[in-house]
Amino acid sequence: MDVLIEYSDLIYEGLQVTLALLIIGLIFGFIFAIGVALARLSKYKVIAYPAFLFTSVIRGTPLLVQIYIYYYGLGTLFSQVPWIRGHFLWPYLRDGFWYVAFALIISTAAYLSEVIRGGLLAVPKGEVEAARAYGMTETKALLRVRLPRALYQLAPTLAGETVLLLKSTALASTIAVVDLLGAANQIRSITFEVYKPLLLVAAIYIIATYLIEFIFAQFEKRIPMKQ
């Protein structure tokens, strides 16, 4: 326990990185997912097919492989371009954190888009027709009726996807980003304590998982909707 207290600052910094990856991946991935889901439902193949191809490729390849492609592929390519190295964005383009964040956004968008698409298809047609009868445009009916209804019905599924996203942040340590797992690995290499750092990180993940599930449960209770 003394070892964990001694390196508590490192654990805290790792927790901040993990939470930052979770929040960035969830918010931007969710926004992107809505766009992909709507594209998948488009009656125009030129819009629907690229969205289908995107979800198929991203969901069909391991997230770790995607991270390696972005970091070692794009990262290496960027480093070989002189004007990029002199650009003000270079400090970000050489930081593994942003490659992991990008990979999480893309992965979250691919998985959530299919969930949201299914939710939109499950909204009763009568509700949409009623909205149109009140004079709502297709866009307003989507924003005020279809999308809120779909998201409410899918709240448990979204909670599960958020938990999976939390666990996926641990892959950041594979490219030397010091998240929770990366901090634990550093402590292990310094102190040769094998189990204590990993058990602490596991406990933090479990607590975070319960908090996520609690937040979504409260969301369901506070926004009642007739079935």
Side-chain angles (χ1 to χ4, degrees), residues 14-47:
L15 176 61
Q16 288 182 309
V17 172
T18 293
L19 293 179
L21 288 172
L22 174 65
I23 293 171
I24 292 173
L26 184 61
I27 293 176
F28 290 98
F30 179 76
I31 294 172
F32 190 14
I34 294 175
V36 175
L38 295 177
R40 291 275 281 117
L41 294 174
S42 175
K43 60 183 178 180
Y44 301 106
K45 291 185 178 180
V46 69
I47 298 176

Short mmCIF file of all heavy atoms in Angstrom, two decimals, residues 14-47:
data_model
loop_
_atom_site.label_atom_id
_atom_site.label_comp_id
_atom_site.label_asym_id
_atom_site.label_seq_id
_atom_site.Cartn_x
_atom_site.Cartn_y
_atom_site.Cartn_z
N GLY A 14 -2.69 9.28 -14.75
CA GLY A 14 -3.19 8.25 -15.66
C GLY A 14 -4.70 8.22 -15.72
O GLY A 14 -5.29 8.04 -16.80
N LEU A 15 -5.34 8.43 -14.57
CA LEU A 15 -6.80 8.49 -14.53
C LEU A 15 -7.32 9.66 -15.35
O LEU A 15 -8.32 9.54 -16.07
CB LEU A 15 -7.27 8.60 -13.08
CG LEU A 15 -8.78 8.76 -12.87
CD1 LEU A 15 -9.54 7.57 -13.42
CD2 LEU A 15 -9.09 8.94 -11.37
N GLN A 16 -6.65 10.80 -15.26
CA GLN A 16 -7.06 11.96 -16.04
C GLN A 16 -6.98 11.68 -17.53
O GLN A 16 -7.88 12.06 -18.30
CB GLN A 16 -6.16 13.16 -15.69
CG GLN A 16 -6.43 13.76 -14.32
CD GLN A 16 -5.54 14.97 -14.05
OE1 GLN A 16 -4.32 14.91 -14.21
NE2 GLN A 16 -6.15 16.06 -13.64
N VAL A 17 -5.93 11.01 -17.96
CA VAL A 17 -5.77 10.66 -19.37
C VAL A 17 -6.88 9.70 -19.80
O VAL A 17 -7.49 9.87 -20.87
CB VAL A 17 -4.39 10.04 -19.63
CG1 VAL A 17 -4.30 9.48 -21.05
CG2 VAL A 17 -3.29 11.06 -19.40
N THR A 18 -7.16 8.71 -18.97
CA THR A 18 -8.21 7.74 -19.29
C THR A 18 -9.57 8.42 -19.42
O THR A 18 -10.33 8.17 -20.37
CB THR A 18 -8.28 6.65 -18.21
OG1 THR A 18 -7.08 5.87 -18.27
CG2 THR A 18 -9.47 5.74 -18.41
N LEU A 19 -9.89 9.30 -18.48
CA LEU A 19 -11.18 10.00 -18.52
C LEU A 19 -11.26 10.94 -19.71
O LEU A 19 -12.32 11.08 -20.34
CB LEU A 19 -11.39 10.77 -17.21
CG LEU A 19 -11.59 9.92 -15.96
CD1 LEU A 19 -11.77 10.81 -14.74
CD2 LEU A 19 -12.80 9.00 -16.12
N ALA A 20 -10.13 11.58 -20.04
CA ALA A 20 -10.11 12.47 -21.20
C ALA A 20 -10.38 11.69 -22.48
O ALA A 20 -11.16 12.12 -23.34
CB ALA A 20 -8.77 13.18 -21.28
N LEU A 21 -9.75 10.53 -22.62
CA LEU A 21 -9.99 9.68 -23.79
C LEU A 21 -11.44 9.22 -23.85
O LEU A 21 -12.06 9.19 -24.92
CB LEU A 21 -9.05 8.48 -23.76
CG LEU A 21 -7.57 8.76 -24.05
CD1 LEU A 21 -6.74 7.51 -23.79
CD2 LEU A 21 -7.38 9.24 -25.48
N LEU A 22 -11.98 8.86 -22.69
CA LEU A 22 -13.38 8.41 -22.63
C LEU A 22 -14.33 9.51 -23.06
O LEU A 22 -15.22 9.29 -23.89
CB LEU A 22 -13.71 7.95 -21.21
CG LEU A 22 -15.18 7.58 -20.95
CD1 LEU A 22 -15.58 6.36 -21.76
CD2 LEU A 22 -15.41 7.33 -19.46
N ILE A 23 -14.15 10.70 -22.51
CA ILE A 23 -15.06 11.81 -22.81
C ILE A 23 -14.94 12.24 -24.28
O ILE A 23 -15.95 12.45 -24.96
CB ILE A 23 -14.76 13.00 -21.87
CG1 ILE A 23 -15.12 12.62 -20.43
CG2 ILE A 23 -15.54 14.23 -22.30
CD1 ILE A 23 -14.66 13.63 -19.40
N ILE A 24 -13.72 12.38 -24.77
CA ILE A 24 -13.52 12.78 -26.16
C ILE A 24 -14.09 11.72 -27.11
O ILE A 24 -14.82 12.05 -28.07
CB ILE A 24 -12.01 12.99 -26.46
CG1 ILE A 24 -11.50 14.21 -25.71
CG2 ILE A 24 -11.77 13.16 -27.96
CD1 ILE A 24 -10.00 14.40 -25.79
N GLY A 25 -13.79 10.46 -26.84
CA GLY A 25 -14.29 9.39 -27.70
C GLY A 25 -15.80 9.30 -27.69
O GLY A 25 -16.43 9.08 -28.74
N LEU A 26 -16.40 9.51 -26.52
CA LEU A 26 -17.85 9.39 -26.40
C LEU A 26 -18.58 10.55 -27.06
O LEU A 26 -19.51 10.35 -27.85
CB LEU A 26 -18.24 9.30 -24.92
CG LEU A 26 -19.72 9.08 -24.63
CD1 LEU A 26 -20.21 7.77 -25.23
CD2 LEU A 26 -19.97 9.10 -23.13
N ILE A 27 -18.16 11.77 -26.76
CA ILE A 27 -18.87 12.95 -27.29
C ILE A 27 -18.75 13.04 -28.80
O ILE A 27 -19.76 13.10 -29.53
CB ILE A 27 -18.34 14.23 -26.63
CG1 ILE A 27 -18.70 14.26 -25.14
CG2 ILE A 27 -18.91 15.47 -27.34
CD1 ILE A 27 -18.15 15.45 -24.39
N PHE A 28 -17.52 13.04 -29.31
CA PHE A 28 -17.33 13.20 -30.75
C PHE A 28 -17.74 11.94 -31.50
O PHE A 28 -18.26 12.03 -32.63
CB PHE A 28 -15.88 13.57 -31.04
CG PHE A 28 -15.51 14.95 -30.60
CD1 PHE A 28 -14.85 15.15 -29.40
CD2 PHE A 28 -15.85 16.06 -31.36
CE1 PHE A 28 -14.51 16.42 -28.96
CE2 PHE A 28 -15.53 17.33 -30.93
CZ PHE A 28 -14.86 17.52 -29.74
N GLY A 29 -17.54 10.78 -30.89
CA GLY A 29 -17.98 9.54 -31.53
C GLY A 29 -19.49 9.49 -31.64
O GLY A 29 -20.04 9.03 -32.64
N PHE A 30 -20.19 9.97 -30.60
CA PHE A 30 -21.65 9.97 -30.62
C PHE A 30 -22.18 10.91 -31.70
O PHE A 30 -23.11 10.55 -32.44
CB PHE A 30 -22.17 10.40 -29.24
CG PHE A 30 -23.66 10.48 -29.15
CD1 PHE A 30 -24.42 9.33 -29.06
CD2 PHE A 30 -24.31 11.69 -29.16
CE1 PHE A 30 -25.80 9.39 -28.97
CE2 PHE A 30 -25.68 11.77 -29.07
CZ PHE A 30 -26.44 10.61 -28.98
N ILE A 31 -21.60 12.09 -31.80
CA ILE A 31 -22.04 13.05 -32.83
C ILE A 31 -21.81 12.46 -34.23
O ILE A 31 -22.69 12.54 -35.10
CB ILE A 31 -21.28 14.38 -32.67
CG1 ILE A 31 -21.65 15.05 -31.34
CG2 ILE A 31 -21.57 15.31 -33.84
CD1 ILE A 31 -20.82 16.27 -31.01
N PHE A 32 -20.64 11.89 -34.42
CA PHE A 32 -20.32 11.27 -35.71
C PHE A 32 -21.25 10.10 -35.99
O PHE A 32 -21.68 9.88 -37.12
CB PHE A 32 -18.86 10.82 -35.70
CG PHE A 32 -18.31 10.39 -37.03
CD1 PHE A 32 -18.98 10.68 -38.22
CD2 PHE A 32 -17.12 9.68 -37.09
CE1 PHE A 32 -18.47 10.28 -39.44
CE2 PHE A 32 -16.60 9.27 -38.31
CZ PHE A 32 -17.28 9.56 -39.49
N ALA A 33 -21.58 9.34 -34.95
CA ALA A 33 -22.44 8.16 -35.11
C ALA A 33 -23.83 8.54 -35.61
O ALA A 33 -24.42 7.82 -36.43
CB ALA A 33 -22.56 7.42 -33.78
N ILE A 34 -24.36 9.66 -35.12
CA ILE A 34 -25.68 10.10 -35.60
C ILE A 34 -25.64 10.37 -37.09
O ILE A 34 -26.53 9.97 -37.85
CB ILE A 34 -26.13 11.35 -34.82
CG1 ILE A 34 -26.37 11.01 -33.35
CG2 ILE A 34 -27.40 11.94 -35.45
CD1 ILE A 34 -26.71 12.21 -32.50
N GLY A 35 -24.59 11.04 -37.55
CA GLY A 35 -24.45 11.32 -38.97
C GLY A 35 -24.32 10.05 -39.79
O GLY A 35 -24.94 9.93 -40.86
N VAL A 36 -23.54 9.09 -39.30
CA VAL A 36 -23.36 7.83 -40.02
C VAL A 36 -24.68 7.04 -40.04
O VAL A 36 -25.04 6.45 -41.08
CB VAL A 36 -22.25 6.98 -39.37
CG1 VAL A 36 -22.15 5.61 -40.04
CG2 VAL A 36 -20.91 7.70 -39.48
N ALA A 37 -25.40 7.04 -38.93
CA ALA A 37 -26.68 6.33 -38.87
C ALA A 37 -27.68 6.91 -39.87
O ALA A 37 -28.38 6.17 -40.58
CB ALA A 37 -27.25 6.40 -37.45
N LEU A 38 -27.74 8.22 -39.95
CA LEU A 38 -28.65 8.86 -40.90
C LEU A 38 -28.22 8.58 -42.34
O LEU A 38 -29.06 8.39 -43.22
CB LEU A 38 -28.69 10.37 -40.65
CG LEU A 38 -29.28 10.80 -39.30
CD1 LEU A 38 -29.20 12.31 -39.14
CD2 LEU A 38 -30.74 10.34 -39.19
N ALA A 39 -26.91 8.54 -42.56
CA ALA A 39 -26.41 8.21 -43.90
C ALA A 39 -26.79 6.78 -44.27
O ALA A 39 -27.15 6.50 -45.42
CB ALA A 39 -24.91 8.40 -43.95
N ARG A 40 -26.71 5.88 -43.29
CA ARG A 40 -27.08 4.47 -43.55
C ARG A 40 -28.55 4.34 -43.91
O ARG A 40 -28.94 3.42 -44.65
CB ARG A 40 -26.77 3.62 -42.31
CG ARG A 40 -25.32 3.43 -42.01
CD ARG A 40 -24.73 2.26 -42.81
NE ARG A 40 -25.07 0.99 -42.19
CZ ARG A 40 -25.81 0.04 -42.74
NH1 ARG A 40 -26.32 0.21 -43.94
NH2 ARG A 40 -26.05 -1.09 -42.11
N LEU A 41 -29.37 5.23 -43.40
CA LEU A 41 -30.81 5.18 -43.67
C LEU A 41 -31.21 5.96 -44.92
O LEU A 41 -32.38 5.97 -45.29
CB LEU A 41 -31.59 5.73 -42.46
CG LEU A 41 -31.49 4.90 -41.17
CD1 LEU A 41 -32.16 5.64 -40.02
CD2 LEU A 41 -32.12 3.53 -41.36
N SER A 42 -30.25 6.61 -45.54
CA SER A 42 -30.55 7.40 -46.72
C SER A 42 -31.03 6.51 -47.87
O SER A 42 -30.56 5.39 -48.05
CB SER A 42 -29.31 8.19 -47.15
OG SER A 42 -29.55 8.88 -48.37
N LYS A 43 -31.96 7.04 -48.64
CA LYS A 43 -32.46 6.30 -49.80
C LYS A 43 -31.52 6.41 -51.00
O LYS A 43 -31.72 5.74 -52.01
CB LYS A 43 -33.85 6.81 -50.18
CG LYS A 43 -33.89 8.29 -50.55
CD LYS A 43 -35.31 8.75 -50.85
CE LYS A 43 -35.35 10.24 -51.17
NZ LYS A 43 -36.74 10.70 -51.46
N TYR A 44 -30.51 7.26 -50.85
CA TYR A 44 -29.54 7.44 -51.93
C TYR A 44 -28.34 6.53 -51.68
O TYR A 44 -27.65 6.66 -50.66
CB TYR A 44 -29.09 8.90 -52.02
CG TYR A 44 -30.23 9.86 -52.28
CD1 TYR A 44 -30.71 10.68 -51.27
CD2 TYR A 44 -30.83 9.93 -53.54
CE1 TYR A 44 -31.76 11.56 -51.49
CE2 TYR A 44 -31.88 10.82 -53.77
CZ TYR A 44 -32.34 11.62 -52.75
OH TYR A 44 -33.37 12.49 -52.98
N LYS A 45 -28.04 5.65 -52.62
CA LYS A 45 -26.95 4.69 -52.45
C LYS A 45 -25.59 5.37 -52.35
O LYS A 45 -24.69 4.87 -51.68
CB LYS A 45 -26.95 3.69 -53.60
CG LYS A 45 -28.14 2.73 -53.58
CD LYS A 45 -28.03 1.71 -54.68
CE LYS A 45 -29.19 0.72 -54.62
NZ LYS A 45 -29.11 -0.31 -55.69
N VAL A 46 -25.45 6.52 -53.03
CA VAL A 46 -24.17 7.21 -53.00
C VAL A 46 -23.84 7.72 -51.59
O VAL A 46 -22.67 7.97 -51.27
CB VAL A 46 -24.17 8.39 -54.01
CG1 VAL A 46 -25.11 9.50 -53.54
CG2 VAL A 46 -22.77 8.92 -54.23
N ILE A 47 -24.85 7.85 -50.76
CA ILE A 47 -24.66 8.24 -49.36
C ILE A 47 -24.66 7.02 -48.44
O ILE A 47 -23.81 6.90 -47.54
CB ILE A 47 -25.76 9.23 -48.91
CG1 ILE A 47 -25.69 10.51 -49.74
CG2 ILE A 47 -25.63 9.55 -47.42
CD1 ILE A 47 -26.80 11.49 -49.44
#
